[in-house]
PDB file of all heavy atoms in Angstrom:
ATOM      1  N   PHE A 691      65.061 -24.848 -11.114  1.00  0.00           N
ATOM      2  CA  PHE A 691      64.864 -26.075 -10.288  1.00  0.00           C
ATOM      3  C   PHE A 691      64.002 -27.053 -11.028  1.00  0.00           C
ATOM      4  O   PHE A 691      62.950 -26.690 -11.613  1.00  0.00           O
ATOM      5  CB  PHE A 691      64.215 -25.731  -8.950  1.00  0.00           C
ATOM      6  CG  PHE A 691      65.078 -25.185  -7.908  1.00  0.00           C
ATOM      7  CD1 PHE A 691      64.608 -24.343  -6.940  1.00  0.00           C
ATOM      8  CD2 PHE A 691      66.478 -25.448  -7.866  1.00  0.00           C
ATOM      9  CE1 PHE A 691      65.407 -23.800  -5.919  1.00  0.00           C
ATOM     10  CE2 PHE A 691      67.313 -24.938  -6.906  1.00  0.00           C
ATOM     11  CZ  PHE A 691      66.723 -24.102  -5.925  1.00  0.00           C
ATOM     12  N   PRO A 692      64.362 -28.343 -10.906  1.00  0.00           N
ATOM     13  CA  PRO A 692      63.439 -29.360 -11.463  1.00  0.00           C
ATOM     14  C   PRO A 692      62.431 -29.797 -10.397  1.00  0.00           C
ATOM     15  O   PRO A 692      62.599 -29.381  -9.220  1.00  0.00           O
ATOM     16  CB  PRO A 692      64.376 -30.520 -11.764  1.00  0.00           C
ATOM     17  CG  PRO A 692      65.443 -30.416 -10.671  1.00  0.00           C
ATOM     18  CD  PRO A 692      65.548 -28.929 -10.329  1.00  0.00           C
ATOM     19  N   SER A 693      61.493 -30.590 -10.795  1.00  0.00           N
ATOM     20  CA  SER A 693      60.678 -31.241  -9.776  1.00  0.00           C
ATOM     21  C   SER A 693      60.944 -32.762  -9.838  1.00  0.00           C
ATOM     22  O   SER A 693      61.991 -33.157 -10.352  1.00  0.00           O
ATOM     23  CB  SER A 693      59.197 -30.915 -10.080  1.00  0.00           C
ATOM     24  OG  SER A 693      58.882 -31.067 -11.410  1.00  0.00           O
ATOM     25  N   GLY A 694      60.079 -33.580  -9.303  1.00  0.00           N
ATOM     26  CA  GLY A 694      60.297 -34.991  -9.266  1.00  0.00           C
ATOM     27  C   GLY A 694      60.832 -35.426  -7.884  1.00  0.00           C
ATOM     28  O   GLY A 694      60.858 -34.622  -6.915  1.00  0.00           O
ATOM     29  N   GLU A 695      61.288 -36.642  -7.791  1.00  0.00           N
ATOM     30  CA  GLU A 695      61.779 -37.171  -6.516  1.00  0.00           C
ATOM     31  C   GLU A 695      63.191 -36.681  -6.182  1.00  0.00           C
ATOM     32  O   GLU A 695      63.539 -36.442  -5.057  1.00  0.00           O
ATOM     33  CB  GLU A 695      61.749 -38.718  -6.513  1.00  0.00           C
ATOM     34  CG  GLU A 695      60.316 -39.246  -6.487  1.00  0.00           C
ATOM     35  CD  GLU A 695      60.335 -40.771  -6.692  1.00  0.00           C
ATOM     36  OE1 GLU A 695      61.341 -41.356  -7.106  1.00  0.00           O
ATOM     37  OE2 GLU A 695      59.208 -41.311  -6.460  1.00  0.00           O
ATOM     38  N   SER A 696      63.994 -36.472  -7.231  1.00  0.00           N
ATOM     39  CA  SER A 696      65.452 -36.244  -7.062  1.00  0.00           C
ATOM     40  C   SER A 696      65.697 -34.952  -6.234  1.00  0.00           C
ATOM     41  O   SER A 696      66.605 -34.982  -5.360  1.00  0.00           O
ATOM     42  CB  SER A 696      66.164 -36.139  -8.383  1.00  0.00           C
ATOM     43  OG  SER A 696      65.974 -37.356  -9.142  1.00  0.00           O
ATOM     44  N   PRO A 697      65.046 -33.798  -6.462  1.00  0.00           N
ATOM     45  CA  PRO A 697      65.474 -32.598  -5.828  1.00  0.00           C
ATOM     46  C   PRO A 697      64.968 -32.351  -4.424  1.00  0.00           C
ATOM     47  O   PRO A 697      65.371 -31.386  -3.764  1.00  0.00           O
ATOM     48  CB  PRO A 697      64.904 -31.511  -6.782  1.00  0.00           C
ATOM     49  CG  PRO A 697      63.778 -32.081  -7.432  1.00  0.00           C
ATOM     50  CD  PRO A 697      64.008 -33.577  -7.477  1.00  0.00           C
ATOM     51  N   LEU A 723      61.561 -25.939 -14.418  1.00  0.00           N
ATOM     52  CA  LEU A 723      62.157 -26.657 -15.578  1.00  0.00           C
ATOM     53  C   LEU A 723      61.076 -27.107 -16.586  1.00  0.00           C
ATOM     54  O   LEU A 723      61.229 -27.007 -17.756  1.00  0.00           O
ATOM     55  CB  LEU A 723      62.884 -27.905 -15.069  1.00  0.00           C
ATOM     56  CG  LEU A 723      63.491 -28.843 -16.065  1.00  0.00           C
ATOM     57  CD1 LEU A 723      64.504 -28.211 -16.961  1.00  0.00           C
ATOM     58  CD2 LEU A 723      64.097 -30.079 -15.317  1.00  0.00           C
ATOM     59  N   ASP A 724      59.990 -27.605 -16.051  1.00  0.00           N
ATOM     60  CA  ASP A 724      58.955 -28.160 -17.010  1.00  0.00           C
ATOM     61  C   ASP A 724      57.615 -28.292 -16.355  1.00  0.00           C
ATOM     62  O   ASP A 724      57.452 -28.011 -15.138  1.00  0.00           O
ATOM     63  CB  ASP A 724      59.507 -29.537 -17.503  1.00  0.00           C
ATOM     64  CG  ASP A 724      59.828 -30.505 -16.392  1.00  0.00           C
ATOM     65  OD1 ASP A 724      59.555 -30.209 -15.210  1.00  0.00           O
ATOM     66  OD2 ASP A 724      60.389 -31.603 -16.672  1.00  0.00           O
ATOM     67  N   GLU A 725      56.660 -28.746 -17.110  1.00  0.00           N
ATOM     68  CA  GLU A 725      55.335 -29.018 -16.593  1.00  0.00           C
ATOM     69  C   GLU A 725      54.586 -29.968 -17.540  1.00  0.00           C
ATOM     70  O   GLU A 725      54.885 -30.068 -18.789  1.00  0.00           O
ATOM     71  CB  GLU A 725      54.560 -27.685 -16.490  1.00  0.00           C
ATOM     72  CG  GLU A 725      53.217 -27.741 -15.805  1.00  0.00           C
ATOM     73  CD  GLU A 725      53.268 -28.285 -14.377  1.00  0.00           C
ATOM     74  OE1 GLU A 725      53.236 -29.569 -14.249  1.00  0.00           O
ATOM     75  OE2 GLU A 725      53.273 -27.525 -13.447  1.00  0.00           O
ATOM     76  N   TRP A 726      53.587 -30.631 -17.041  1.00  0.00           N
ATOM     77  CA  TRP A 726      52.725 -31.494 -17.769  1.00  0.00           C
ATOM     78  C   TRP A 726      51.667 -30.628 -18.449  1.00  0.00           C
ATOM     79  O   TRP A 726      50.998 -29.874 -17.733  1.00  0.00           O
ATOM     80  CB  TRP A 726      51.997 -32.541 -16.947  1.00  0.00           C
ATOM     81  CG  TRP A 726      52.847 -33.301 -15.945  1.00  0.00           C
ATOM     82  CD1 TRP A 726      53.022 -33.088 -14.630  1.00  0.00           C
ATOM     83  CD2 TRP A 726      53.753 -34.398 -16.311  1.00  0.00           C
ATOM     84  NE1 TRP A 726      53.920 -34.005 -14.082  1.00  0.00           N
ATOM     85  CE2 TRP A 726      54.401 -34.820 -15.102  1.00  0.00           C
ATOM     86  CE3 TRP A 726      54.083 -35.054 -17.449  1.00  0.00           C
ATOM     87  CZ2 TRP A 726      55.337 -35.869 -15.031  1.00  0.00           C
ATOM     88  CZ3 TRP A 726      55.013 -36.085 -17.412  1.00  0.00           C
ATOM     89  CH2 TRP A 726      55.610 -36.480 -16.206  1.00  0.00           C
ATOM     90  N   CYS A 737      54.193 -29.992 -11.503  1.00  0.00           N
ATOM     91  CA  CYS A 737      55.479 -29.480 -11.100  1.00  0.00           C
ATOM     92  C   CYS A 737      55.349 -28.246 -10.260  1.00  0.00           C
ATOM     93  O   CYS A 737      56.103 -28.006  -9.285  1.00  0.00           O
ATOM     94  CB  CYS A 737      56.395 -29.208 -12.338  1.00  0.00           C
ATOM     95  SG  CYS A 737      56.618 -30.704 -13.343  1.00  0.00           S
ATOM     96  N   ILE A 787      69.449 -26.711 -12.813  1.00  0.00           N
ATOM     97  CA  ILE A 787      69.537 -28.072 -12.141  1.00  0.00           C
ATOM     98  C   ILE A 787      68.486 -28.909 -12.780  1.00  0.00           C
ATOM     99  O   ILE A 787      67.365 -28.561 -12.879  1.00  0.00           O
ATOM    100  CB  ILE A 787      69.333 -27.875 -10.592  1.00  0.00           C
ATOM    101  CG1 ILE A 787      70.331 -26.897 -10.081  1.00  0.00           C
ATOM    102  CG2 ILE A 787      69.500 -29.241  -9.942  1.00  0.00           C
ATOM    103  CD1 ILE A 787      70.121 -26.489  -8.573  1.00  0.00           C
ATOM    104  N   VAL A 788      68.942 -30.140 -13.114  1.00  0.00           N
ATOM    105  CA  VAL A 788      67.941 -31.049 -13.742  1.00  0.00           C
ATOM    106  C   VAL A 788      68.147 -32.436 -13.094  1.00  0.00           C
ATOM    107  O   VAL A 788      69.227 -32.790 -12.528  1.00  0.00           O
ATOM    108  CB  VAL A 788      68.215 -31.282 -15.299  1.00  0.00           C
ATOM    109  CG1 VAL A 788      67.988 -29.942 -16.031  1.00  0.00           C
ATOM    110  CG2 VAL A 788      69.593 -31.745 -15.630  1.00  0.00           C
ATOM    111  N   GLY A 789      67.022 -33.232 -13.102  1.00  0.00           N
ATOM    112  CA  GLY A 789      67.112 -34.690 -12.835  1.00  0.00           C
ATOM    113  C   GLY A 789      67.180 -35.441 -14.118  1.00  0.00           C
ATOM    114  O   GLY A 789      67.248 -34.811 -15.226  1.00  0.00           O
ATOM    115  N   ILE A 790      67.257 -36.734 -14.091  1.00  0.00           N
ATOM    116  CA  ILE A 790      67.253 -37.535 -15.319  1.00  0.00           C
ATOM    117  C   ILE A 790      66.130 -38.575 -15.284  1.00  0.00           C
ATOM    118  O   ILE A 790      65.844 -39.127 -14.238  1.00  0.00           O
ATOM    119  CB  ILE A 790      68.615 -38.211 -15.505  1.00  0.00           C
ATOM    120  CG1 ILE A 790      68.703 -39.027 -16.815  1.00  0.00           C
ATOM    121  CG2 ILE A 790      68.949 -39.155 -14.309  1.00  0.00           C
ATOM    122  CD1 ILE A 790      70.091 -39.491 -17.183  1.00  0.00           C
ATOM    123  N   GLY A 791      65.380 -38.648 -16.386  1.00  0.00           N
ATOM    124  CA  GLY A 791      64.360 -39.678 -16.517  1.00  0.00           C
ATOM    125  C   GLY A 791      64.876 -41.056 -16.813  1.00  0.00           C
ATOM    126  O   GLY A 791      66.111 -41.161 -17.196  1.00  0.00           O
ATOM    127  N   MET A 792      64.089 -42.054 -16.636  1.00  0.00           N
ATOM    128  CA  MET A 792      64.526 -43.416 -16.830  1.00  0.00           C
ATOM    129  C   MET A 792      64.893 -43.688 -18.280  1.00  0.00           C
ATOM    130  O   MET A 792      65.581 -44.637 -18.591  1.00  0.00           O
ATOM    131  CB  MET A 792      63.445 -44.387 -16.405  1.00  0.00           C
ATOM    132  CG  MET A 792      63.125 -44.358 -14.941  1.00  0.00           C
ATOM    133  SD  MET A 792      64.557 -44.806 -13.930  1.00  0.00           S
ATOM    134  CE  MET A 792      64.638 -46.590 -14.291  1.00  0.00           C
ATOM    135  N   ASN A 793      64.430 -42.758 -19.190  1.00  0.00           N
ATOM    136  CA  ASN A 793      64.775 -42.948 -20.648  1.00  0.00           C
ATOM    137  C   ASN A 793      65.884 -41.942 -21.021  1.00  0.00           C
ATOM    138  O   ASN A 793      66.154 -41.713 -22.200  1.00  0.00           O
ATOM    139  CB  ASN A 793      63.537 -42.716 -21.499  1.00  0.00           C
ATOM    140  CG  ASN A 793      62.915 -41.366 -21.216  1.00  0.00           C
ATOM    141  OD1 ASN A 793      63.384 -40.565 -20.426  1.00  0.00           O
ATOM    142  ND2 ASN A 793      61.782 -41.108 -21.927  1.00  0.00           N
ATOM    143  N   HIS A 795      65.732 -38.701 -20.355  1.00  0.00           N
ATOM    144  CA  HIS A 795      65.329 -37.306 -20.627  1.00  0.00           C
ATOM    145  C   HIS A 795      65.781 -36.354 -19.587  1.00  0.00           C
ATOM    146  O   HIS A 795      66.124 -36.701 -18.476  1.00  0.00           O
ATOM    147  CB  HIS A 795      63.735 -37.250 -20.766  1.00  0.00           C
ATOM    148  CG  HIS A 795      62.933 -37.316 -19.537  1.00  0.00           C
ATOM    149  ND1 HIS A 795      61.634 -37.779 -19.595  1.00  0.00           N
ATOM    150  CD2 HIS A 795      63.165 -37.140 -18.203  1.00  0.00           C
ATOM    151  CE1 HIS A 795      61.191 -37.686 -18.368  1.00  0.00           C
ATOM    152  NE2 HIS A 795      62.105 -37.333 -17.533  1.00  0.00           N
ATOM    153  N   LEU A 796      65.879 -35.113 -19.986  1.00  0.00           N
ATOM    154  CA  LEU A 796      66.143 -33.985 -19.077  1.00  0.00           C
ATOM    155  C   LEU A 796      65.047 -33.055 -19.164  1.00  0.00           C
ATOM    156  O   LEU A 796      64.686 -32.597 -20.307  1.00  0.00           O
ATOM    157  CB  LEU A 796      67.497 -33.317 -19.427  1.00  0.00           C
ATOM    158  CG  LEU A 796      68.752 -34.141 -19.420  1.00  0.00           C
ATOM    159  CD1 LEU A 796      69.961 -33.312 -19.834  1.00  0.00           C
ATOM    160  CD2 LEU A 796      69.019 -34.742 -18.025  1.00  0.00           C
ATOM    161  N   GLY A 797      64.430 -32.570 -18.057  1.00  0.00           N
ATOM    162  CA  GLY A 797      63.156 -31.902 -18.161  1.00  0.00           C
ATOM    163  C   GLY A 797      62.239 -32.833 -18.885  1.00  0.00           C
ATOM    164  O   GLY A 797      62.111 -34.017 -18.640  1.00  0.00           O
ATOM    165  N   LEU A 798      61.529 -32.273 -19.891  1.00  0.00           N
ATOM    166  CA  LEU A 798      60.717 -33.172 -20.713  1.00  0.00           C
ATOM    167  C   LEU A 798      61.264 -33.159 -22.129  1.00  0.00           C
ATOM    168  O   LEU A 798      60.504 -33.299 -23.098  1.00  0.00           O
ATOM    169  CB  LEU A 798      59.269 -32.835 -20.564  1.00  0.00           C
ATOM    170  CG  LEU A 798      58.649 -33.198 -19.254  1.00  0.00           C
ATOM    171  CD1 LEU A 798      57.181 -32.608 -19.029  1.00  0.00           C
ATOM    172  CD2 LEU A 798      58.603 -34.744 -19.060  1.00  0.00           C
ATOM    173  N   GLU A 800      62.524 -35.271 -24.485  1.00  0.00           N
ATOM    174  CA  GLU A 800      62.448 -36.726 -24.658  1.00  0.00           C
ATOM    175  C   GLU A 800      63.427 -37.203 -25.645  1.00  0.00           C
ATOM    176  O   GLU A 800      63.969 -36.424 -26.456  1.00  0.00           O
ATOM    177  CB  GLU A 800      61.017 -37.073 -25.087  1.00  0.00           C
ATOM    178  CG  GLU A 800      59.905 -36.681 -24.082  1.00  0.00           C
ATOM    179  CD  GLU A 800      59.885 -37.643 -22.877  1.00  0.00           C
ATOM    180  OE1 GLU A 800      60.961 -38.046 -22.354  1.00  0.00           O
ATOM    181  OE2 GLU A 800      58.783 -37.958 -22.375  1.00  0.00           O
ATOM    182  N   THR A 818      58.002 -42.161 -20.127  1.00  0.00           N
ATOM    183  CA  THR A 818      57.693 -40.988 -19.229  1.00  0.00           C
ATOM    184  C   THR A 818      56.204 -41.088 -18.790  1.00  0.00           C
ATOM    185  O   THR A 818      55.936 -40.770 -17.615  1.00  0.00           O
ATOM    186  CB  THR A 818      57.922 -39.643 -20.055  1.00  0.00           C
ATOM    187  OG1 THR A 818      59.252 -39.675 -20.425  1.00  0.00           O
ATOM    188  CG2 THR A 818      57.632 -38.459 -19.194  1.00  0.00           C
ATOM    189  N   VAL A 821      56.237 -43.934 -16.078  1.00  0.00           N
ATOM    190  CA  VAL A 821      56.982 -43.606 -14.867  1.00  0.00           C
ATOM    191  C   VAL A 821      56.352 -42.416 -14.180  1.00  0.00           C
ATOM    192  O   VAL A 821      56.247 -42.307 -12.949  1.00  0.00           O
ATOM    193  CB  VAL A 821      58.469 -43.280 -15.186  1.00  0.00           C
ATOM    194  CG1 VAL A 821      59.190 -42.838 -13.945  1.00  0.00           C
ATOM    195  CG2 VAL A 821      59.180 -44.514 -15.744  1.00  0.00           C
ATOM    196  N   GLY A 822      55.792 -41.502 -15.035  1.00  0.00           N
ATOM    197  CA  GLY A 822      55.197 -40.216 -14.504  1.00  0.00           C
ATOM    198  C   GLY A 822      54.020 -40.486 -13.582  1.00  0.00           C
ATOM    199  O   GLY A 822      53.645 -39.575 -12.765  1.00  0.00           O
ATOM    200  N   LYS A 824      53.931 -42.071 -11.031  1.00  0.00           N
ATOM    201  CA  LYS A 824      54.346 -42.064  -9.603  1.00  0.00           C
ATOM    202  C   LYS A 824      53.991 -40.745  -8.838  1.00  0.00           C
ATOM    203  O   LYS A 824      53.968 -40.732  -7.632  1.00  0.00           O
ATOM    204  CB  LYS A 824      55.791 -42.428  -9.464  1.00  0.00           C
ATOM    205  CG  LYS A 824      56.746 -41.387  -9.961  1.00  0.00           C
ATOM    206  CD  LYS A 824      58.262 -41.761  -9.784  1.00  0.00           C
ATOM    207  CE  LYS A 824      59.164 -40.793 -10.434  1.00  0.00           C
ATOM    208  NZ  LYS A 824      60.577 -41.004 -10.262  1.00  0.00           N
ATOM    209  N   TYR A 825      53.900 -39.692  -9.623  1.00  0.00           N
ATOM    210  CA  TYR A 825      53.633 -38.393  -9.065  1.00  0.00           C
ATOM    211  C   TYR A 825      52.121 -38.160  -8.725  1.00  0.00           C
ATOM    212  O   TYR A 825      51.815 -37.165  -8.033  1.00  0.00           O
ATOM    213  CB  TYR A 825      54.057 -37.253  -9.948  1.00  0.00           C
ATOM    214  CG  TYR A 825      55.484 -37.335 -10.409  1.00  0.00           C
ATOM    215  CD1 TYR A 825      55.837 -37.490 -11.774  1.00  0.00           C
ATOM    216  CD2 TYR A 825      56.564 -37.411  -9.495  1.00  0.00           C
ATOM    217  CE1 TYR A 825      57.148 -37.603 -12.240  1.00  0.00           C
ATOM    218  CE2 TYR A 825      57.835 -37.549  -9.887  1.00  0.00           C
ATOM    219  CZ  TYR A 825      58.128 -37.638 -11.229  1.00  0.00           C
ATOM    220  OH  TYR A 825      59.424 -37.727 -11.687  1.00  0.00           O
ATOM    221  N   THR A 837      58.578 -27.551 -21.728  1.00  0.00           N
ATOM    222  CA  THR A 837      59.855 -27.723 -20.984  1.00  0.00           C
ATOM    223  C   THR A 837      60.905 -26.746 -21.512  1.00  0.00           C
ATOM    224  O   THR A 837      60.894 -26.333 -22.717  1.00  0.00           O
ATOM    225  CB  THR A 837      60.389 -29.201 -21.235  1.00  0.00           C
ATOM    226  OG1 THR A 837      61.599 -29.370 -20.455  1.00  0.00           O
ATOM    227  CG2 THR A 837      60.610 -29.506 -22.690  1.00  0.00           C
ATOM    228  N   ILE A 852      71.483 -33.997 -11.017  1.00  0.00           N
ATOM    229  CA  ILE A 852      71.474 -34.828  -9.756  1.00  0.00           C
ATOM    230  C   ILE A 852      70.775 -36.128 -10.080  1.00  0.00           C
ATOM    231  O   ILE A 852      69.676 -36.142 -10.773  1.00  0.00           O
ATOM    232  CB  ILE A 852      70.795 -34.110  -8.609  1.00  0.00           C
ATOM    233  CG1 ILE A 852      69.374 -33.468  -9.011  1.00  0.00           C
ATOM    234  CG2 ILE A 852      71.664 -32.916  -8.152  1.00  0.00           C
ATOM    235  CD1 ILE A 852      68.642 -32.850  -7.844  1.00  0.00           C
ATOM    236  N   SER A 854      70.026 -40.187  -8.173  1.00  0.00           N
ATOM    237  CA  SER A 854      70.255 -41.118  -7.074  1.00  0.00           C
ATOM    238  C   SER A 854      69.517 -42.388  -7.336  1.00  0.00           C
ATOM    239  O   SER A 854      68.545 -42.458  -8.084  1.00  0.00           O
ATOM    240  CB  SER A 854      69.781 -40.480  -5.765  1.00  0.00           C
ATOM    241  OG  SER A 854      68.401 -40.280  -5.848  1.00  0.00           O
ATOM    242  N   LYS A 857      68.078 -47.617  -9.615  1.00  0.00           N
ATOM    243  CA  LYS A 857      67.261 -47.694 -10.849  1.00  0.00           C
ATOM    244  C   LYS A 857      67.820 -46.661 -11.902  1.00  0.00           C
ATOM    245  O   LYS A 857      67.502 -46.844 -13.111  1.00  0.00           O
ATOM    246  CB  LYS A 857      65.766 -47.382 -10.542  1.00  0.00           C
ATOM    247  CG  LYS A 857      65.503 -45.981 -10.025  1.00  0.00           C
ATOM    248  CD  LYS A 857      64.035 -45.818  -9.746  1.00  0.00           C
ATOM    249  CE  LYS A 857      63.826 -44.413  -9.221  1.00  0.00           C
ATOM    250  NZ  LYS A 857      62.476 -44.213  -8.665  1.00  0.00           N
ATOM    251  N   LYS A 858      68.568 -45.686 -11.459  1.00  0.00           N
ATOM    252  CA  LYS A 858      69.126 -44.733 -12.457  1.00  0.00           C
ATOM    253  C   LYS A 858      70.516 -45.140 -12.907  1.00  0.00           C
ATOM    254  O   LYS A 858      71.099 -44.491 -13.845  1.00  0.00           O
ATOM    255  CB  LYS A 858      69.209 -43.329 -11.789  1.00  0.00           C
ATOM    256  CG  LYS A 858      67.886 -42.690 -11.393  1.00  0.00           C
ATOM    257  CD  LYS A 858      67.182 -42.039 -12.587  1.00  0.00           C
ATOM    258  CE  LYS A 858      65.795 -41.533 -12.271  1.00  0.00           C
ATOM    259  NZ  LYS A 858      65.717 -40.317 -11.533  1.00  0.00           N
TER     260      LYS A 858
HETATM  261  N1  LIG B 400      59.556 -34.166 -15.756  1.00  0.00           N
HETATM  262  C1  LIG B 400      60.360 -34.710 -14.707  1.00  0.00           C
HETATM  263  C2  LIG B 400      61.761 -34.204 -14.786  1.00  0.00           C
HETATM  264  O1  LIG B 400      61.823 -32.826 -14.582  1.00  0.00           O
HETATM  265  C3  LIG B 400      62.574 -34.915 -13.756  1.00  0.00           C
HETATM  266  O2  LIG B 400      63.787 -34.289 -13.494  1.00  0.00           O
HETATM  267  C4  LIG B 400      62.731 -36.330 -14.187  1.00  0.00           C
HETATM  268  C5  LIG B 400      63.293 -37.264 -13.131  1.00  0.00           C
HETATM  269  O3  LIG B 400      62.353 -37.456 -12.143  1.00  0.00           O
HETATM  270  P1  LIG B 400      62.624 -38.098 -10.728  1.00  0.00           P
HETATM  271  O4  LIG B 400      63.535 -37.177 -10.054  1.00  0.00           O
HETATM  272  O5  LIG B 400      61.360 -38.256 -10.104  1.00  0.00           O
HETATM  273  O6  LIG B 400      63.324 -39.449 -11.037  1.00  0.00           O
HETATM  274  O7  LIG B 400      61.565 -36.816 -14.819  1.00  0.00           O
HETATM  275  C6  LIG B 400      60.316 -36.190 -14.635  1.00  0.00           C
HETATM  276  O8  LIG B 400      59.476 -36.746 -15.663  1.00  0.00           O
END
Side-chain angles (χ1 to χ4, degrees):
F691 280 154
S693 46
E695 291 172 345
S696 306
L723 176 61
D724 54 7
E725 188 57 278
W726 311 104
C737 301
I787 305 173
V788 297
I790 184 170
M792 296 298 289
N793 58 1
H795 76 201
L796 298 179
L798 288 170
E800 297 286 40
T818 303
V821 176
K824 69 179 175 176
Y825 306 120
T837 183
I852 51 174
S854 62
K857 66 181 179 190
K858 296 279 173 75

